[in-house]
Amino acid sequence: QVQLVESGGGLVQPGGSLRLSCVASGIIVSSYTMGWFRQAPGKEREFVASIRSLTAYADLTTYADSVKGRFTISRDRAKNMVFLQMNSLKPEDTAVYYCAAKAGISEDRLADLYNYWGQGTQVTISS
């Protein structure tokens, strides 16, 4: 049984930082494309970032334009975890953030192609 469990959300002021974590069981994160998505109230779920193996020693990371330069996705193969470091947070980053995994290696931005999802963690940016 596959489980993805997110943590690390919370309330921070604009300009602050948060680090989201996703621990996986039932899959090996280095063998899957791992993604972060978010969904704000009244909006559709949107792609944030993804990471997958490009070679045995390098990963390919992809970011939404809205977070490029502020967010960093990474993974710890030994701990079977994925992280999303979020800096320079803005009120428009407020959303529930979801960790997801898929076996394919194309169209990493499409939520429908992800096979497994976590329950989400709330991120609120407000002064």
Side-chain angles (χ1 to χ4, degrees), residues 30 51-61 75 77:
S30 58
I51 185 168
R52 58 177 166 90
S53 296
L54 189 60
T55 69
Y57 305 101
D59 289 331
L60 175 67
T61 57
R75 59 186 172 188
R77 295 169 187 243

Side-chain angles (χ1 to χ4, degrees), residues 10-108:
L11 171 65
V12 297
Q13 294 185 340
S17 298
L18 279 174
R19 187 192 194 208
L20 304 184
S21 300
C22 172
V23 58
S25 58
I27 62 168
I28 299 174
V29 298
S30 58
S31 298
Y32 280 72
T33 298
M34 302 299 298
W36 285 97
F37 290 77
R38 66 186 182 187
Q39 187 166 18
K43 295 188 176 181
E44 292 188 355
R45 190 169 298 189
E46 66 173 354
F47 171 79
V48 175
S50 65
I51 185 168
R52 58 177 166 90
S53 296
L54 189 60
T55 69
Y57 305 101
D59 289 331
L60 175 67
T61 57
T62 306
Y63 296 94
D65 288 344
S66 59
V67 307
K68 201 172 294 183
R70 300 188 298 123
F71 291 11
T72 303
I73 188 171
S74 62
R75 59 186 172 188
D76 186 321
R77 295 169 187 243
K79 296 181 179 179
N80 211 36
M81 295 181 69
V82 181
F83 305 97
L84 185 68
Q85 178 66 44
M86 306 187 295
N87 299 328
S88 303
L89 285 162
K90 306 175 181 180
E92 51 264 43
D93 294 318
T94 295
V96 177
Y97 283 70
Y98 297 91
C99 176
K102 69 179 179 80
I105 60 170
S106 63
E107 305 295 340
D108 293 347

